[in-house]
Amino acid sequence: MTATTDQGAALRIAAGRKPFVEPLRLGERVKEIRLANQWTLEDVSQRTGLARSTLSKIENDQISPTFSAVQKLIDGLGIDLPQLLSPPKVQTRTMGRRDLTRRGHGELHPTPTYEHELLSCELAQKRMIPFKTIVRARAFEEFTEWVRHDGEEFLMVLEGEIRLYTEYYEPLSLSDGDSIYFDSAMGHALVSTSEADAVVLSVCTRGDGTS
Amino acid sequence: MTATTDQGAALRIAAGRKPFVEPLRLGERVKEIRLANQWTLEDVSQRTGLARSTLSKIENDQISPTFSAVQKLIDGLGIDLPQLLSPPKVQTRTMGRRDLTRRGHGELHPTPTYEHELLSCELAQKRMIPFKTIVRARAFEEFTEWVRHDGEEFLMVLEGEIRLYTEYYEPLSLSDGDSIYFDSAMGHALVSTSEADAVVLSVCTRGDGTS
DNA sequence: AAACCTCGTTTCCAATAGTGAACAAGGACA
DNA sequence: TGTCCTTGTTCACTATTGGAAACGAGGTTT
């Protein structure tokens, strides 16, 4: 009768991982979305190609839709599955944090070739890592190997002039105010080409958990 | 016959969003996972409570599993749905891209209060959005409402002096070289406090799919 | 090589999903 | 009030899924 008629299977499921099967009020969710858009069952039927009756039963948890039906739903409603499944939108969105760094008050990390100044290091869980770098290197030869890390990097020259060496491209000259965005898994290295050391601002994405 | 028998529905689907229905080789994916763990169909049957035969048919795209079956699959296999759906785990790690923007050659987006210059707009799929902004506003009152968007934002003052108003904090003054990192879902607004318009560099995280 | 496993596929049937039509239950309109 | 019209639910029926058992292809043991 119900959509979750499991009879004997329930026993076997016990061998599985989660003892309690998430109810996953899918129907409820669909209805929510439908009403939020002020659509009637007929409208959704048009959009999804599913019968009005079918939609009604899905919304009332009277049937467990076929996966192909779910597909029709998701691209009929113009949403994606995660959206359909995350029942509440309780995104527990961390918000309201902030972290100020006054000029010259970042955390210093000197290396032979660069002098890094980490910029917002009070904040622990952040998606970007900003830092100011004084480029000491004057020749590509000073690097023993490519600098390389997961994610992406944005870089803007604040002072002076640099030359950006990358693994797959010809070297590039950048002056004060120029900026570049690149995949940082591609080997890269910076040298100053101006008299004084150049200064650049970089922002890297954090190695995230999506992998 | 096949799992993707759509007949007339295809027409109506045209009214929807995506014209091409993602094949979504679900069966293929399941098999992949099964083999990766060196499980036999019987093993998976035990874990999921689905019959061997059913699993076989699912793997060979001979049937479109019921949503309840999919549920049994995901918690039987100990994975989550996104994982099941992202077809290849080869994240096709994009790498080797780059996008140079010379000073003053970004894409201009003027507003009453700000003058934005998008910085690396050639690149489509990127995790950060960098832009330079000339702050025209001189008073908080010029904003009709908080600026607010998902994700996080990093900001450094390049020229002049600004005052940063945020929803949950007292206003903050920032001078040339100062920087700040904050959750951009928190309402925020910038005004110039120097004689000339201030210039700031911002980098936002993209509204990602991790939700 | 015959008997016996194990694994994946296929077959057949019962259970259930999906459909169109019929059915209330409101609203609008005359 | 009575006649539409629209909306969501229920019904009767067909199409499809899901399960137990049969099957066929290797592999192992004897």
Side-chain angles (χ1 to χ4, degrees):
Chain A
M1 206 66 58
T2 69
T4 48
T5 302
D6 281 338
Q7 304 125 298
L11 314 175
R12 272 165 297 171
I13 259 200
R17 194 138 314 191
K18 306 183 183 174
F20 59 106
V21 192
E22 180 83 19
L24 244 192
R25 295 291 215 283
L26 191 140
E28 204 175 315
R29 193 81 190 82
V30 172
K31 188 163 195 170
E32 220 175 285
I33 296 173
R34 180 170 67 81
L35 295 180
N37 292 68
Q38 296 199 279
W39 286 330
T40 78
L41 283 184
E42 182 58 29
D43 292 333
V44 177
S45 171
Q46 300 277 338
R47 291 175 158 273
T48 59
L50 292 166
R52 264 211 328 274
S53 52
T54 307
L55 293 168
S56 169
K57 291 183 207 160
I58 291 179
E59 286 192 352
N60 297 32
D61 279 311
Q62 285 169 16
I63 62 174
S64 164
T66 283
F67 195 77
S68 75
V70 174
Q71 281 190 93
K72 291 181 189 171
L73 264 179
I74 63 180
D75 61 33
L77 298 181
I79 59 177
D80 51 1
L81 228 152
Q83 215 174 339
L84 221 191
L85 297 189
S86 61
K89 65 162 28 160
V90 279
Q91 300 272 71
T92 46
R93 206 163 225 25
T94 49
M95 61 170 289
R97 305 169 302 163
R98 73 170 191 188
D99 186 357
L100 171 71
T101 311
R102 292 290 179 193
R103 162 171 229 136
H105 286 70
E107 199 177 300
L108 295 177
H109 286 260
T111 75
T113 43
Y114 296 141
E115 183 144 332
H116 296 302
E117 179 185 353
L118 259 67
L119 285 180
S120 293
C121 27
E122 298 294 313
L123 238 44
Q125 289 280 49
K126 56 185 186 307
R127 307 239 292 266
M128 302 184 287
I129 302 172
F131 55 95
K132 204 156 97 177
T133 304
I134 299 171
V135 182
R136 274 218 270 261
R138 296 297 167 154
F140 181 51
E141 288 68 34
E142 296 180 37
F143 293 88
T144 53
E145 58 182 345
W146 287 115
V147 177
R148 187 199 301 283
H149 42 94
D150 270 0
E152 305 168 11
E153 180 163 348
F154 169 76
L155 179 161
M156 177 181 263
V157 180
L158 297 180
E159 295 173 31
E161 189 165 296
I162 60 160
R163 184 167 270 268
L164 170 66
Y165 292 86
T166 53
E167 199 169 7
Y168 307 136
Y169 295 89
E170 284 299 302
L172 208 54
S173 286
L174 299 170
S175 314
D176 177 15
D178 294 344
S179 62
I180 190 164
Y181 197 112
F182 58 94
D183 291 314
S184 43
M186 169 173 64
H188 54 284
L190 252 51
V191 304
S192 281
T193 52
S194 45
E195 283 197 41
D197 291 343
V199 179
V200 306
L201 174 69
S202 300
V203 183
C204 294
T205 60
R206 225 170 209 295
D208 64 344
T210 59
S211 62
Chain B
M1 204 66 59
T2 68
T4 47
T5 303
D6 281 337
Q7 303 126 300
L11 314 174
R12 273 165 296 175
I13 261 199
R17 194 137 316 190
K18 307 181 183 174
F20 59 104
V21 192
E22 180 84 19
L24 245 190
R25 297 291 216 283
L26 191 138
E28 207 174 314
R29 192 80 191 86
V30 172
K31 187 163 194 170
E32 222 174 282
I33 296 173
R34 180 169 67 83
L35 295 180
N37 292 68
Q38 297 198 276
W39 286 330
T40 84
L41 283 184
E42 182 58 31
D43 293 333
V44 177
S45 171
Q46 301 278 338
R47 292 174 158 273
T48 59
L50 292 167
R52 258 205 341 268
S53 53
T54 308
L55 292 167
S56 169
K57 293 179 205 161
I58 292 178
E59 286 192 353
N60 297 39
D61 279 312
Q62 284 169 13
I63 61 174
S64 164
T66 284
F67 195 77
S68 74
V70 174
Q71 283 190 92
K72 292 181 189 171
L73 265 179
I74 62 179
D75 60 33
L77 297 181
I79 58 177
D80 51 2
L81 228 152
Q83 214 175 336
L84 221 190
L85 298 189
S86 60
K89 79 157 7 155
V90 279
Q91 291 278 62
T92 44
R93 203 163 231 19
T94 49
M95 62 167 292
R97 307 168 301 164
R98 74 170 193 188
D99 185 357
L100 171 71
T101 311
R102 292 290 178 191
R103 161 171 231 139
H105 286 71
E107 198 177 300
L108 294 177
H109 287 259
T111 76
T113 43
Y114 296 140
E115 183 145 331
H116 295 301
E117 180 186 351
L118 259 66
L119 285 181
S120 293
C121 27
E122 300 293 314
L123 239 44
Q125 290 281 51
K126 54 185 186 307
R127 308 239 290 266
M128 303 185 287
I129 302 172
F131 54 95
K132 204 157 95 178
T133 305
I134 299 170
V135 183
R136 275 218 271 261
R138 295 299 165 151
F140 182 51
E141 288 68 34
E142 296 179 39
F143 293 87
T144 54
E145 58 182 344
W146 287 116
V147 178
R148 189 198 300 282
H149 42 93
D150 271 0
E152 305 168 11
E153 180 164 348
F154 169 75
L155 180 161
M156 176 180 263
V157 180
L158 297 180
E159 294 172 31
E161 189 165 294
I162 60 162
R163 183 165 270 267
L164 169 66
Y165 292 84
T166 52
E167 200 169 8
Y168 306 137
Y169 294 89
E170 284 298 305
L172 210 53
S173 286
L174 298 170
S175 312
D176 176 17
D178 294 344
S179 61
I180 190 164
Y181 197 111
F182 59 93
D183 292 314
S184 44
M186 167 172 66
H188 54 285
L190 252 52
V191 304
S192 280
T193 51
S194 44
E195 282 198 42
D197 291 343
V199 179
V200 308
L201 174 69
S202 299
V203 183
C204 295
T205 59
R206 227 173 207 295
D208 66 343
T210 59
S211 66

Short mmCIF file of all heavy atoms in Angstrom, two decimals, chain B residues 25-66:
data_model
loop_
_atom_site.label_atom_id
_atom_site.label_comp_id
_atom_site.label_asym_id
_atom_site.label_seq_id
_atom_site.Cartn_x
_atom_site.Cartn_y
_atom_site.Cartn_z
N ARG B 25 24.09 7.28 -17.09
CA ARG B 25 24.35 5.85 -17.00
C ARG B 25 24.42 5.40 -15.56
O ARG B 25 25.50 5.15 -15.02
CB ARG B 25 25.65 5.50 -17.70
CG ARG B 25 25.67 5.78 -19.16
CD ARG B 25 24.74 4.82 -19.89
NE ARG B 25 25.28 4.45 -21.19
CZ ARG B 25 25.24 5.23 -22.26
NH1 ARG B 25 24.66 6.39 -22.18
NH2 ARG B 25 25.76 4.82 -23.40
N LEU B 26 23.26 5.30 -14.95
CA LEU B 26 23.22 4.93 -13.55
C LEU B 26 23.72 3.51 -13.36
O LEU B 26 24.50 3.23 -12.46
CB LEU B 26 21.79 5.07 -13.03
CG LEU B 26 21.62 4.97 -11.54
CD1 LEU B 26 20.66 6.02 -11.05
CD2 LEU B 26 21.13 3.60 -11.14
N GLY B 27 23.27 2.61 -14.22
CA GLY B 27 23.67 1.22 -14.11
C GLY B 27 25.17 1.08 -14.17
O GLY B 27 25.79 0.41 -13.33
N GLU B 28 25.72 1.72 -15.14
CA GLU B 28 27.16 1.71 -15.32
C GLU B 28 27.87 2.11 -14.03
O GLU B 28 28.82 1.48 -13.58
CB GLU B 28 27.51 2.71 -16.43
CG GLU B 28 28.77 2.43 -17.19
CD GLU B 28 28.90 3.42 -18.34
OE1 GLU B 28 27.90 3.64 -19.05
OE2 GLU B 28 29.97 3.98 -18.51
N ARG B 29 27.34 3.17 -13.47
CA ARG B 29 27.92 3.71 -12.23
C ARG B 29 27.87 2.70 -11.11
O ARG B 29 28.84 2.51 -10.37
CB ARG B 29 27.12 4.97 -11.86
CG ARG B 29 27.73 5.81 -10.81
CD ARG B 29 28.83 6.68 -11.35
NE ARG B 29 29.56 7.29 -10.24
CZ ARG B 29 30.55 6.71 -9.63
NH1 ARG B 29 30.95 5.51 -10.00
NH2 ARG B 29 31.16 7.30 -8.62
N VAL B 30 26.73 2.06 -10.97
CA VAL B 30 26.57 1.07 -9.90
C VAL B 30 27.58 -0.05 -10.09
O VAL B 30 28.26 -0.47 -9.15
CB VAL B 30 25.14 0.48 -9.91
CG1 VAL B 30 25.04 -0.67 -8.93
CG2 VAL B 30 24.13 1.55 -9.56
N LYS B 31 27.67 -0.50 -11.31
CA LYS B 31 28.60 -1.60 -11.58
C LYS B 31 30.02 -1.17 -11.23
O LYS B 31 30.79 -1.93 -10.62
CB LYS B 31 28.53 -1.98 -13.06
CG LYS B 31 29.34 -3.22 -13.40
CD LYS B 31 28.92 -3.79 -14.75
CE LYS B 31 29.47 -5.19 -14.93
NZ LYS B 31 28.89 -5.85 -16.12
N GLU B 32 30.34 0.04 -11.61
CA GLU B 32 31.65 0.58 -11.31
C GLU B 32 31.95 0.48 -9.83
O GLU B 32 33.01 -0.01 -9.42
CB GLU B 32 31.64 2.06 -11.73
CG GLU B 32 32.87 2.55 -12.45
CD GLU B 32 32.63 3.98 -12.91
OE1 GLU B 32 31.93 4.12 -13.93
OE2 GLU B 32 33.11 4.91 -12.26
N ILE B 33 31.00 0.95 -9.05
CA ILE B 33 31.20 0.95 -7.61
C ILE B 33 31.31 -0.47 -7.09
O ILE B 33 32.16 -0.78 -6.26
CB ILE B 33 30.02 1.67 -6.91
CG1 ILE B 33 30.00 3.14 -7.33
CG2 ILE B 33 30.11 1.52 -5.42
CD1 ILE B 33 28.80 3.90 -6.83
N ARG B 34 30.44 -1.31 -7.62
CA ARG B 34 30.46 -2.70 -7.16
C ARG B 34 31.82 -3.32 -7.42
O ARG B 34 32.44 -3.91 -6.54
CB ARG B 34 29.37 -3.50 -7.88
CG ARG B 34 29.32 -4.95 -7.45
CD ARG B 34 28.09 -5.65 -7.97
NE ARG B 34 28.10 -5.79 -9.42
CZ ARG B 34 28.75 -6.77 -10.06
NH1 ARG B 34 29.41 -7.67 -9.36
NH2 ARG B 34 28.72 -6.85 -11.37
N LEU B 35 32.30 -3.17 -8.63
CA LEU B 35 33.57 -3.79 -8.98
C LEU B 35 34.73 -3.16 -8.22
O LEU B 35 35.65 -3.85 -7.81
CB LEU B 35 33.79 -3.68 -10.49
CG LEU B 35 32.78 -4.47 -11.32
CD1 LEU B 35 33.06 -4.32 -12.80
CD2 LEU B 35 32.78 -5.93 -10.90
N ALA B 36 34.62 -1.85 -8.03
CA ALA B 36 35.69 -1.17 -7.31
C ALA B 36 35.87 -1.77 -5.93
O ALA B 36 36.96 -1.81 -5.39
CB ALA B 36 35.38 0.32 -7.21
N ASN B 37 34.76 -2.24 -5.36
CA ASN B 37 34.84 -2.83 -4.03
C ASN B 37 34.97 -4.34 -4.09
O ASN B 37 34.89 -5.01 -3.07
CB ASN B 37 33.60 -2.46 -3.22
CG ASN B 37 33.54 -1.00 -2.89
OD1 ASN B 37 33.38 -0.17 -3.77
ND2 ASN B 37 33.70 -0.66 -1.62
N GLN B 38 35.07 -4.85 -5.28
CA GLN B 38 35.18 -6.29 -5.48
C GLN B 38 34.02 -7.03 -4.85
O GLN B 38 34.20 -8.04 -4.16
CB GLN B 38 36.50 -6.79 -4.89
CG GLN B 38 37.70 -6.20 -5.60
CD GLN B 38 38.95 -7.01 -5.32
OE1 GLN B 38 39.60 -6.83 -4.32
NE2 GLN B 38 39.29 -7.92 -6.24
N TRP B 39 32.84 -6.50 -5.09
CA TRP B 39 31.65 -7.16 -4.60
C TRP B 39 31.00 -7.95 -5.72
O TRP B 39 31.05 -7.54 -6.88
CB TRP B 39 30.64 -6.13 -4.09
CG TRP B 39 31.01 -5.50 -2.78
CD1 TRP B 39 31.74 -6.07 -1.78
CD2 TRP B 39 30.67 -4.18 -2.33
NE1 TRP B 39 31.87 -5.18 -0.74
CE2 TRP B 39 31.23 -4.03 -1.05
CE3 TRP B 39 29.94 -3.14 -2.88
CZ2 TRP B 39 31.08 -2.87 -0.31
CZ3 TRP B 39 29.80 -1.98 -2.15
CH2 TRP B 39 30.36 -1.84 -0.87
N THR B 40 30.38 -9.05 -5.38
CA THR B 40 29.60 -9.79 -6.37
C THR B 40 28.17 -9.26 -6.28
O THR B 40 27.80 -8.57 -5.34
CB THR B 40 29.60 -11.30 -6.07
OG1 THR B 40 28.57 -11.55 -5.11
CG2 THR B 40 30.92 -11.74 -5.52
N LEU B 41 27.37 -9.62 -7.25
CA LEU B 41 25.97 -9.20 -7.21
C LEU B 41 25.32 -9.70 -5.93
O LEU B 41 24.50 -9.03 -5.33
CB LEU B 41 25.22 -9.75 -8.43
CG LEU B 41 25.48 -9.00 -9.73
CD1 LEU B 41 24.61 -9.56 -10.83
CD2 LEU B 41 25.19 -7.53 -9.56
N GLU B 42 25.71 -10.91 -5.53
CA GLU B 42 25.14 -11.47 -4.32
C GLU B 42 25.49 -10.61 -3.11
O GLU B 42 24.65 -10.31 -2.28
CB GLU B 42 25.64 -12.90 -4.13
CG GLU B 42 25.06 -13.61 -2.90
CD GLU B 42 23.55 -13.69 -2.93
OE1 GLU B 42 22.97 -13.76 -4.03
OE2 GLU B 42 22.93 -13.65 -1.83
N ASP B 43 26.74 -10.19 -3.04
CA ASP B 43 27.17 -9.32 -1.94
C ASP B 43 26.28 -8.08 -1.87
O ASP B 43 25.75 -7.74 -0.82
CB ASP B 43 28.62 -8.88 -2.14
CG ASP B 43 29.60 -10.03 -2.00
OD1 ASP B 43 29.27 -10.99 -1.29
OD2 ASP B 43 30.68 -9.96 -2.62
N VAL B 44 26.15 -7.46 -3.02
CA VAL B 44 25.37 -6.23 -3.06
C VAL B 44 23.92 -6.52 -2.70
O VAL B 44 23.26 -5.74 -2.02
CB VAL B 44 25.46 -5.57 -4.44
CG1 VAL B 44 24.58 -4.34 -4.51
CG2 VAL B 44 26.89 -5.20 -4.75
N SER B 45 23.45 -7.67 -3.14
CA SER B 45 22.09 -8.06 -2.81
C SER B 45 21.93 -8.11 -1.30
O SER B 45 20.97 -7.58 -0.74
CB SER B 45 21.79 -9.43 -3.42
OG SER B 45 20.56 -9.91 -2.92
N GLN B 46 22.86 -8.75 -0.62
CA GLN B 46 22.84 -8.80 0.84
C GLN B 46 22.81 -7.41 1.44
O GLN B 46 22.02 -7.10 2.33
CB GLN B 46 24.08 -9.53 1.36
CG GLN B 46 24.24 -10.96 0.86
CD GLN B 46 23.41 -11.95 1.67
OE1 GLN B 46 23.05 -11.65 2.81
NE2 GLN B 46 23.10 -13.09 1.08
N ARG B 47 23.68 -6.56 0.92
CA ARG B 47 23.81 -5.23 1.49
C ARG B 47 22.59 -4.36 1.26
O ARG B 47 22.21 -3.56 2.10
CB ARG B 47 25.01 -4.51 0.88
CG ARG B 47 26.32 -5.10 1.28
CD ARG B 47 27.46 -4.44 0.53
NE ARG B 47 28.70 -4.64 1.27
CZ ARG B 47 29.12 -3.86 2.23
NH1 ARG B 47 28.43 -2.80 2.56
NH2 ARG B 47 30.24 -4.13 2.87
N THR B 48 22.00 -4.52 0.10
CA THR B 48 20.93 -3.59 -0.25
C THR B 48 19.54 -4.16 -0.01
O THR B 48 18.58 -3.42 0.13
CB THR B 48 21.01 -3.21 -1.73
OG1 THR B 48 20.90 -4.40 -2.51
CG2 THR B 48 22.32 -2.53 -2.05
N GLY B 49 19.44 -5.50 0.02
CA GLY B 49 18.13 -6.08 0.14
C GLY B 49 17.42 -6.17 -1.19
O GLY B 49 16.24 -6.48 -1.26
N LEU B 50 18.12 -5.89 -2.25
CA LEU B 50 17.54 -6.04 -3.58
C LEU B 50 17.97 -7.39 -4.15
O LEU B 50 19.04 -7.90 -3.83
CB LEU B 50 18.04 -4.93 -4.51
CG LEU B 50 17.53 -3.53 -4.16
CD1 LEU B 50 18.33 -2.47 -4.92
CD2 LEU B 50 16.07 -3.40 -4.49
N ALA B 51 17.12 -7.96 -4.98
CA ALA B 51 17.43 -9.28 -5.53
C ALA B 51 18.60 -9.21 -6.50
O ALA B 51 18.81 -8.19 -7.15
CB ALA B 51 16.20 -9.85 -6.22
N ARG B 52 19.35 -10.27 -6.59
CA ARG B 52 20.45 -10.34 -7.54
C ARG B 52 19.97 -9.96 -8.92
O ARG B 52 20.59 -9.17 -9.61
CB ARG B 52 20.99 -11.78 -7.59
CG ARG B 52 22.23 -11.99 -6.83
CD ARG B 52 23.12 -13.14 -7.29
NE ARG B 52 22.60 -14.20 -8.10
CZ ARG B 52 22.08 -15.33 -7.64
NH1 ARG B 52 21.97 -15.51 -6.34
NH2 ARG B 52 21.70 -16.28 -8.45
N SER B 53 18.86 -10.55 -9.29
CA SER B 53 18.35 -10.31 -10.64
C SER B 53 18.06 -8.84 -10.87
O SER B 53 18.42 -8.27 -11.90
CB SER B 53 17.08 -11.12 -10.85
OG SER B 53 16.16 -10.87 -9.83
N THR B 54 17.45 -8.24 -9.88
CA THR B 54 17.13 -6.82 -10.00
C THR B 54 18.39 -6.01 -10.21
O THR B 54 18.46 -5.16 -11.10
CB THR B 54 16.43 -6.33 -8.73
OG1 THR B 54 15.33 -7.19 -8.45
CG2 THR B 54 15.95 -4.91 -8.89
N LEU B 55 19.39 -6.31 -9.43
CA LEU B 55 20.64 -5.58 -9.54
C LEU B 55 21.23 -5.75 -10.93
O LEU B 55 21.69 -4.79 -11.56
CB LEU B 55 21.62 -6.08 -8.49
CG LEU B 55 21.21 -5.73 -7.06
CD1 LEU B 55 22.04 -6.50 -6.04
CD2 LEU B 55 21.34 -4.23 -6.85
N SER B 56 21.21 -6.97 -11.41
CA SER B 56 21.72 -7.23 -12.75
C SER B 56 21.02 -6.35 -13.75
O SER B 56 21.64 -5.69 -14.58
CB SER B 56 21.52 -8.69 -13.10
OG SER B 56 21.77 -8.90 -14.47
N LYS B 57 19.69 -6.32 -13.67
CA LYS B 57 18.92 -5.52 -14.63
C LYS B 57 19.24 -4.04 -14.50
O LYS B 57 19.32 -3.31 -15.49
CB LYS B 57 17.43 -5.75 -14.44
CG LYS B 57 16.99 -7.15 -14.80
CD LYS B 57 15.50 -7.31 -14.56
CE LYS B 57 15.11 -8.75 -14.30
NZ LYS B 57 13.81 -8.87 -13.64
N ILE B 58 19.43 -3.60 -13.28
CA ILE B 58 19.76 -2.19 -13.09
C ILE B 58 21.10 -1.88 -13.74
O ILE B 58 21.25 -0.91 -14.47
CB ILE B 58 19.80 -1.83 -11.59
CG1 ILE B 58 18.40 -1.90 -11.00
CG2 ILE B 58 20.40 -0.44 -11.40
CD1 ILE B 58 18.34 -1.60 -9.51
N GLU B 59 22.06 -2.75 -13.48
CA GLU B 59 23.40 -2.50 -14.03
C GLU B 59 23.38 -2.48 -15.55
O GLU B 59 24.16 -1.78 -16.17
CB GLU B 59 24.37 -3.58 -13.52
CG GLU B 59 24.75 -3.41 -12.07
CD GLU B 59 25.93 -4.30 -11.68
OE1 GLU B 59 26.34 -5.14 -12.52
OE2 GLU B 59 26.43 -4.15 -10.57
N ASN B 60 22.51 -3.26 -16.13
CA ASN B 60 22.46 -3.33 -17.59
C ASN B 60 21.41 -2.41 -18.19
O ASN B 60 21.03 -2.57 -19.34
CB ASN B 60 22.21 -4.76 -18.03
CG ASN B 60 23.33 -5.68 -17.63
OD1 ASN B 60 23.89 -5.55 -16.53
ND2 ASN B 60 23.71 -6.58 -18.49
N ASP B 61 20.94 -1.48 -17.39
CA ASP B 61 19.96 -0.51 -17.87
C ASP B 61 18.74 -1.17 -18.49
O ASP B 61 18.21 -0.67 -19.48
CB ASP B 61 20.62 0.43 -18.88
CG ASP B 61 21.41 1.54 -18.18
OD1 ASP B 61 20.86 2.15 -17.26
OD2 ASP B 61 22.57 1.75 -18.56
N GLN B 62 18.35 -2.27 -17.92
CA GLN B 62 17.17 -2.94 -18.45
C GLN B 62 15.91 -2.46 -17.75
O GLN B 62 14.81 -2.64 -18.23
CB GLN B 62 17.30 -4.46 -18.32
CG GLN B 62 18.25 -5.05 -19.35
CD GLN B 62 18.57 -6.51 -19.04
OE1 GLN B 62 17.91 -7.13 -18.23
NE2 GLN B 62 19.60 -7.03 -19.70
N ILE B 63 16.08 -1.88 -16.60
CA ILE B 63 14.94 -1.30 -15.89
C ILE B 63 15.35 0.03 -15.29
O ILE B 63 16.53 0.31 -15.12
CB ILE B 63 14.44 -2.21 -14.75
CG1 ILE B 63 15.56 -2.41 -13.73
CG2 ILE B 63 13.93 -3.51 -15.28
CD1 ILE B 63 15.13 -3.16 -12.52
N SER B 64 14.37 0.83 -15.01
CA SER B 64 14.62 2.08 -14.31
C SER B 64 14.21 1.90 -12.86
O SER B 64 13.03 1.82 -12.56
CB SER B 64 13.81 3.20 -14.96
OG SER B 64 13.75 4.31 -14.10
N PRO B 65 15.16 1.79 -11.97
CA PRO B 65 14.84 1.42 -10.59
C PRO B 65 13.87 2.39 -9.94
O PRO B 65 13.87 3.58 -10.23
CB PRO B 65 16.19 1.45 -9.89
CG PRO B 65 17.04 2.34 -10.73
CD PRO B 65 16.57 2.14 -12.13
N THR B 66 13.07 1.84 -9.07
CA THR B 66 12.19 2.65 -8.25
C THR B 66 13.03 3.51 -7.33
O THR B 66 14.15 3.16 -6.99
CB THR B 66 11.31 1.71 -7.42
OG1 THR B 66 10.31 1.19 -8.26
CG2 THR B 66 10.67 2.43 -6.27
#
